[in-house]
Amino acid sequence: MLLRGLTWLVLFQLLGTATNHLFLPFLPGPIIGLLLLLIFLIGRGQVGEPLNLAASSLLRYLPLLLVPPAVGVMVYAADIAADFWAIVGALVLSLLLSMAFAGVLMQRMVKRHVHPGDGQ
C-alpha cells in the first residue's frame, strides 16, 4: 500500500515536471504536480488509503527538509542583512495580501454555508 501511494506521488510530480518543460516553464514542476494532485483529489472527492499512508509516512520526515534552509540562512547571513529592509517589506506585503485573501475567502465560505432558517 505504501509503495502504491508513493507511486501516485511520484507520478504526479513527473506529470508536473513534464508540464513544466512542455507548457509552463515559469512554474516549478513539483508545484504543478501538487496542483494536478489537488485537482485529482477534489474531483475524486476523497483521499485513498495508499495515498494517505504515503503522505503520513513522509510527514514524519518534514523537519529534515528545514535543515538546509536554516544552514543557508546562517551561511548567507551577511547577504541577508544587506537586503534586510527589502526582505522585511516583501514579507509584510505578502502577509497583508494573504490575510486579506484568507478573510475574503472565509467570508464567502461562511455565506455559502448559511441556511435561510438560521435567522441571518
Side-chain angles (χ1 to χ4, degrees), residues 64-94:
L64 292 176
L65 297 175
L66 300 175
V67 172
V71 171
V73 166
M74 299 307 277
V75 169
Y76 295 106
D79 294 332
I80 292 171
D83 295 326
F84 179 75
W85 291 112
I87 293 170
V88 167
L91 288 173
V92 168
L93 182 64
S94 66

Side-chain angles (χ1 to χ4, degrees), residues 96-110:
L96 293 175
L97 288 174
S98 62
M99 286 178 61
F101 176 74
V104 169
L105 183 64
M106 194 65 182
Q107 286 178 348
R108 289 187 181 179
M109 289 176 66
V110 166

Side-chain angles (χ1 to χ4, degrees), residues 2 53 55-64:
L2 178 65
L53 179 64
S56 62
S57 62
L58 286 174
L59 279 176
R60 281 185 274 161
Y61 301 108
L62 187 63
L64 292 176

Side-chain angles (χ1 to χ4, degrees), residues 27-41:
L27 284 176
I31 300 297
I32 298 170
L34 280 175
L35 291 174
L36 291 173
L37 178 62
L38 177 67
I39 292 167
F40 171 75
L41 291 176

Side-chain angles (χ1 to χ4, degrees), residues 3-52:
L3 187 59
R4 187 181 304 164
L6 288 173
T7 303
W8 276 107
L9 291 175
V10 171
L11 174 72
F12 276 103
Q13 182 175 0
L14 288 174
L15 282 172
T17 302
T19 306
N20 168 268
H21 286 295
L22 294 174
F23 305 113
L24 299 169
F26 54 88
L27 284 176
I31 300 297
I32 298 170
L34 280 175
L35 291 174
L36 291 173
L37 178 62
L38 177 67
I39 292 167
F40 171 75
L41 291 176
I42 288 173
R44 190 170 178 204
Q46 66 176 358
V47 178
E49 183 63 32
L51 196 57
N52 190 16

